[in-house]
């Protein structure tokens, strides 16, 4: 098939990559439903995807990855800037020449006997001044079908690029032999290039997502004066119809999709409050002509965590997955070819296939201590399926942001919510974020680690320079800057149970946050920031909750925080003279306030 673009930069690069990988066949992905149907039929015929129940889950497909390939691999992810110092202490680095030399032989002839798909895509609404174009070459139909949901994919993306521009991200992916020992997810920020090999899972291979929209884009944003962040975007509609937009950065599997789609408690919905979803994972933020900060969601779908998603916890996410969705590594109910995962409901299928592909009796299998779905199993659902998708989802200008929220999983230290004193202090609050690790990346789960702005695995350059860029953005935004907050839905009691009910009830905290943005409510000044007066968190309809419970969730344990500052010092020490002095100053000021 001939090229879909006249752009010589694209065509030259594609030809070079064909010469390197030597596919039997090259297919340019035009984005048409007809062509996608052919891909689906082929994927089903080869067994790569399984067709699910057409009545109950129309247009839905199932895919299983190898047990060694179920999450992002941070230890095999590299930022190959020319200078090691530009990758910084939080990224794996290798000299780009060395890395190209190492990987080129691995790609040589890797697509022999296979088809190469050439995927043009836009991150961001086509025609948006904030959108950017990528081209992914892959030998995986699974990747093509996921990219069709997650991005604006097809010939239209080339329209956005034009016939001469060289401003597109070159993504080369091969699943090769899915060999974990030779798995590499490599970024060359100065070349606008991503090479991924030996994986066929999610964030490792859907190169528009974490690789482009965060790692490469964060680097582009620093150079071009905007920001790429691991943030959801939501619109909170008040009874008078006014909508305020909020972004929130939580680490992987810490609640972004859930917050983005929340349904407020009854007391709020009755009054007319509503939450609209603009994005659930990534935000690109740029100052608008009016001086405010605007956000677009570069993605076109949701790659969401399946376990824990149910009609009660996240009705809108579940509803989003009821058609034209791809399920990866969940369990199958063989009686009716539907899907199941932990906490979907209390009825695990008896006639089940667990995520690795073994036929099992679901209830017995679970009783023996096993999981039917992998903890990082996912759904890939089109954004248009979401019942609460924002009318601004495709707005090329994005939405104006009133508040930025940071948060993570902390059993004790962080209170339910606090507000930073100002943008600089807010940048400090983001930089000291810490969270318990989750199944979204390979490695130990439940270990507290520093994860600044939820960007530890996703910042494509030196984290010290990234913080400096945050401070710079704050100066540009001035008094139009969004207010910065920190939340923690995950405080536990002495038995290890979550105290805060979370999910829809997080609305109660958003309510206070918006009131703060509008100067409608006072706050208490503490050592770490402004906190609500306990009585200002609305607990109407929260069974068993009193103002004392809230007060408890808001306590700042000075001894724990003093311990915390030691950890921050250690962490900050890694950044040497790239640590902005403003942040060092904020740490000293915090220590003084703690006494
Ligand atoms: P990524 O897609 O990996 O970036 O994850 P995410 O940040 O979008 O996380 P998601 O919303 O999918 O939630 C991950 C897990 O956290 C699920 O198991 C949820 O059930 C759980 N979770 C989300 N919100 C809350 C909450 O408010 N309270 C509690 N206790 N758990 C929550
Ligand atoms: C995350 O891990 O933050 C995800 C899933 O959103 S992945 O796309 O695999 O990175
Ligand atoms: Mn994520």
């Amino acid at each position: 098939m001939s090229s879909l673009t006249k752009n010589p930069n694209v065509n030259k690069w594609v030809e070079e990559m064909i010469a390197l990988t030597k596919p039997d066949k090259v297919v340019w992905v035009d984005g048409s439903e007809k062509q996608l149907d052919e891909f689906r039929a082929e994927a089903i015929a080869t067994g790569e995807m399984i067709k699910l129940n057409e009545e109950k889950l129309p247009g839905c497909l199932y895919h299983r990855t190898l047990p060694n390939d179920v999450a992002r691999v941070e230890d095999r992810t590299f930022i190959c800037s020319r200078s090691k110092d530009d990758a910084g202490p939080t990224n794996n680095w290798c000299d780009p020449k060395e890395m190209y030399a190492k990987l080129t032989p691995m790609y040589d002839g890797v697509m022999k006997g296979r088809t190469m798909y050439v995927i043009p895509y836009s991150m961001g609404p086509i025609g948006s001044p904030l959108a950017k174009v990528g081209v992914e070459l892959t030998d995986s139909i699974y990747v093509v079908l996921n990219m069709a949901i997650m991005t604006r994919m097809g010939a239209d993306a080339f329209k956005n690029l034009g016939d001469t521009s060289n401003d597109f991200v070159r993504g080369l992916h091969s699943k090769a032999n899915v060999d974990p020992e030779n798995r590499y997810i490599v970024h060359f920020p100065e070349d606008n290039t991503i090479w991924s090999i030996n994986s066929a899972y999610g964030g490792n291979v859907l190169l528009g997502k974490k690789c482009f929209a965060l790692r490469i884009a964060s680097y582009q944003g620093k150079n071009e004066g905007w920001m790429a962040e691991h943030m959801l975007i939501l619109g909170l509609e008040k009874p008078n119809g006014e909508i305020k937009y909020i972004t929130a950065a939580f680490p992987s599997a810490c609640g972004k999709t859930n917050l983005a789609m929340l349904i407020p408690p009854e007391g709020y919905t009755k009054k007319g409050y509503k939450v609209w979803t603009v994005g659930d994972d990534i935000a690109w933020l740029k100052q608008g002509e009016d001086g405010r900060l605007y956000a677009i969601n570069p993605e076109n779908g949701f790659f969401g965590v399946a376990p824990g998603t149910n009609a009660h916890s996240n009705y809108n996410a579940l509803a989003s997955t009821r058609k034209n969705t791809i399920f990866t590594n969940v369990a199958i109910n063989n009686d009716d070819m539907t899907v199941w995962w932990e906490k979907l409901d209390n009825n695990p299928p008896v006639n089940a296939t667990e995520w690795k592909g073994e036929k099992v009796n679901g209830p017995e299998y679970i009783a023996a201590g096993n999981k039917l779905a992998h903890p990082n199993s996912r759904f890939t659902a089109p954004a248009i399926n979401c019942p609460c998708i924002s009318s601004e989802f495709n707005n090329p200008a994005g939405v104006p942001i009133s508040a930025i929220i940071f948060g993570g999983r902390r059993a004790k230290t962080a209170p339910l919510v606090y507000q930073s004193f100002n943008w600089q202090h807010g940048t400090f609050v983001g930089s000291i974020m810490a969270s318990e690790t989750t199944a979204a990346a390979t490695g130990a789960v439940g270990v507290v680690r520093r994860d600044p702005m939820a960007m530890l695995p996703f910042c494509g350059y030196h984290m010290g320079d990234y913080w400096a860029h945050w401070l710079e953005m704050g100066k540009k935004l001035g008094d139009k800057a969004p207010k910065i907050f920190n939340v923690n839905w995950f405080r536990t009691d002495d038995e290890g149970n979550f105290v805060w009910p979370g999910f829809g009830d997080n609305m109660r905290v958003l309510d206070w946050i918006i009131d703060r943005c509008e100067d409608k409510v006072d706050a208490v000044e503490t050592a770490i920031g402004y906190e609500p007066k306990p009585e200002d968190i609305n607990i109407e309809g929260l069974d068993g909750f009193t103002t004392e419970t809230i007060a408890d969730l808001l306590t700042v344990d000075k001894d724990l925080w003093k311990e915390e500052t030691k950890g921050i010092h250690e962490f900050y020490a890694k950044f040497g003279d790239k640590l902005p002095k403003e942040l060092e100053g904020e740490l000293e000021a915090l220590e003084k306030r703690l006494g």
Side-chain angles (χ1 to χ4, degrees):
M1 192 206 240
S2 61
S3 171
L4 288 173
T5 176
K6 292 199 194 93
N7 188 309
N9 304 308
V10 173
N11 288 327
K12 180 167 170 281
W13 169 70
V14 172
E15 272 158 33
E16 283 168 13
M17 295 304 110
I18 291 171
L20 173 62
T21 58
K22 305 176 180 64
D24 281 15
K25 202 172 130 191
V26 177
V27 174
W28 287 72
V29 176
D30 60 21
S32 69
E33 216 29 61
K34 177 173 169 285
Q35 194 192 40
L36 281 174
D37 269 337
E38 289 164 15
F39 294 153
R40 291 182 191 112
E42 186 183 336
I44 293 164
T46 61
E48 187 168 345
M49 314 280 284
I50 296 171
K51 173 110 193 79
L52 295 167
N53 187 315
E54 186 55 31
E55 256 154 56
K56 293 182 179 169
L57 295 168
C60 291
L61 296 173
Y62 177 90
H63 178 74
R64 185 177 289 129
T65 64
L66 290 179
N68 75 39
D69 189 31
V70 294
R72 283 182 295 101
V73 278
E74 295 180 0
D75 55 332
R76 310 204 66 96
T77 299
F78 287 79
I79 302 295
C80 296
S81 43
R82 267 170 243 138
S83 148
K84 180 171 187 189
D85 198 40
D86 287 337
T90 56
N91 283 311
N92 300 313
W93 176 84
C94 173
D95 181 86
K97 281 202 197 97
E98 225 174 273
M99 189 55 103
Y100 280 126
K102 180 185 191 138
L103 296 187
T104 298
M106 291 168 63
Y107 282 104
D108 189 0
V110 75
M111 295 194 193
K112 271 185 198 155
R114 297 182 185 179
T115 299
M116 172 194 277
Y117 301 92
V118 182
I119 309 173
Y121 63 93
S122 170
M123 296 312 285
I126 301 240
S128 164
L130 283 90
K132 288 202 173 260
V133 175
V135 181
E136 176 165 358
L137 311 178
T138 179
D139 52 12
S140 160
I141 276 203
Y142 170 74
V143 167
V144 179
L145 293 173
N146 273 274
M147 290 291 281
I149 299 171
M150 295 305 296
T151 72
R152 280 91 172 169
M153 182 187 85
D156 280 357
F158 280 138
K159 277 194 211 154
N160 232 26
L161 184 67
D163 287 345
T164 55
S165 171
N166 196 23
D167 184 12
F168 67 98
V169 171
R170 297 143 165 81
L172 175 63
H173 166 248
S174 174
K175 56 190 174 191
N177 309 316
V178 204
D179 170 9
E181 301 301 322
N182 284 301
R183 187 167 294 156
Y184 286 92
I185 319 297
V186 180
H187 308 71
F188 304 95
E190 288 128 348
D191 300 345
N192 259 356
T193 295
I194 305 158
W195 281 16
S196 161
I197 192 160
N198 277 307
S199 172
Y201 181 84
N204 297 332
V205 301
L206 308 178
L207 301 186
K209 196 173 175 56
K210 297 301 169 51
C211 299
F212 177 176
L214 288 178
R215 296 194 192 97
I216 298 287
S218 61
Y219 172 77
Q220 295 176 328
K222 183 200 63 158
N223 293 330
E224 298 165 11
W226 53 281
M227 307 161 94
E229 299 294 335
H230 193 199
M231 291 177 176
L232 68 93
I233 312 164
L234 67 80
L236 197 158
E237 181 173 341
K238 296 195 283 184
N240 65 6
E242 192 191 4
I243 302 179
K244 295 279 177 180
Y245 293 93
I246 297 174
T247 66
F250 307 154
S252 302
C254 290
K256 287 182 300 301
T257 303
N258 277 272
L259 191 68
M261 300 181 187
L262 85 71
I263 297 178
E266 209 185 327
Y268 281 95
T269 50
K270 273 195 179 145
K271 282 190 203 130
Y273 285 88
K274 199 162 170 16
V275 165
W276 300 102
T277 308
V278 182
D280 82 325
D281 198 51
I282 299 177
W284 285 359
L285 303 129
K286 195 174 184 176
Q287 189 171 27
E289 272 164 23
D290 62 358
R292 296 186 65 190
L293 189 63
Y294 282 74
I296 63 160
N297 171 10
E299 302 191 279
N300 202 26
F302 310 118
F303 187 61
V305 178
T309 306
N310 59 55
H312 177 72
S313 66
N314 195 347
Y315 168 85
N316 288 316
L318 190 65
S320 303
T321 67
R322 297 297 92 179
K323 62 180 181 198
N324 303 329
T325 292
I326 297 170
F327 297 92
T328 303
N329 296 340
V330 300
I332 294 181
N333 180 346
N334 296 304
D335 285 338
D336 63 355
M337 288 311 285
T338 55
V339 286
W340 195 87
W341 50 76
E342 274 61 27
K343 297 205 187 137
L344 172 66
D345 55 39
N346 294 324
N347 309 307
V350 174
N351 183 9
T353 302
E354 52 82 86
W355 70 270
K356 294 187 287 319
E358 194 191 330
K359 291 217 158 131
V360 295
N361 175 312
E364 285 174 11
Y365 192 68
I366 289 171
N370 302 298
K371 289 200 153 70
L372 277 183
H374 186 276
N376 192 37
S377 55
R378 300 252 168 182
F379 52 79
T380 318
I384 45 164
N385 279 4
C386 183
C388 59
I389 195 73
S390 164
S391 60
E392 304 307 295
F393 175 70
N394 281 311
N395 185 339
V399 294
I401 301 304
S402 298
I404 294 175
I405 306 178
F406 295 121
R409 290 177 186 261
R410 290 310 293 274
K412 295 285 173 236
T413 320
L416 180 62
V417 59
Y418 65 101
Q419 181 185 358
S420 65
F421 297 122
N422 50 48
W423 181 279
Q424 177 177 304
H425 178 236
T427 303
F428 170 73
V429 169
S431 79
I432 65 165
M433 266 171 69
S435 191
E436 293 161 21
T437 51
T438 65
T442 54
V445 168
V447 183
V448 175
R449 72 165 182 188
R450 299 264 153 221
D451 188 350
M453 283 82 170
M455 284 289 278
L456 182 72
F458 306 120
C459 184
Y461 61 105
H462 196 297
M463 186 70 77
D465 291 334
Y466 167 82
W467 290 332
H469 182 48
W470 263 82
L471 294 168
E472 200 54 44
M473 288 296 296
K475 283 186 199 135
K476 275 204 302 191
L477 292 162
D479 60 2
K480 299 216 165 103
K483 304 277 186 278
I484 300 179
F485 298 81
N486 193 88
V487 300
N488 178 22
W489 314 141
F490 299 95
R491 264 219 197 178
T492 52
D493 61 19
D494 294 340
E495 277 90 56
N497 305 306
F498 296 127
V499 180
W500 179 246
F503 302 99
D505 287 307
N506 294 332
M507 174 67 204
R508 301 170 190 276
V509 174
L510 298 185
D511 188 13
W512 182 79
I513 285 174
I514 291 298
D515 278 350
R516 284 297 293 168
C517 291
E518 298 180 340
D519 257 333
K520 283 190 183 154
V521 65
D522 279 346
V524 185
E525 190 170 335
T526 75
I528 61 168
Y530 298 121
E531 282 203 344
K533 294 181 192 158
E535 63 271 24
D536 286 337
I537 297 291
N538 174 7
I539 50 169
E540 183 198 315
L542 256 193
D543 280 352
F545 260 72
T546 62
T547 309
E548 280 71 58
T549 332
I550 299 293
D552 225 34
L553 281 167
L554 289 170
T555 50
V556 177
D557 182 328
K558 287 204 171 173
D559 290 335
L560 275 182
W561 273 92
K562 281 181 196 165
E563 272 306 302
E564 190 75 5
T565 57
K566 284 187 203 155
I568 301 168
H569 271 295
E570 259 167 53
F571 183 59
Y572 271 5
K574 286 191 189 182
F575 301 91
D577 55 11
K578 288 245 187 186
L579 175 72
K581 59 181 185 327
E582 292 90 337
L583 298 188
E584 214 177 306
E586 288 292 344
L587 178 54
E588 279 166 24
L590 170 64
E591 284 176 314
K592 269 208 195 102
R593 292 192 300 269
L594 288 168

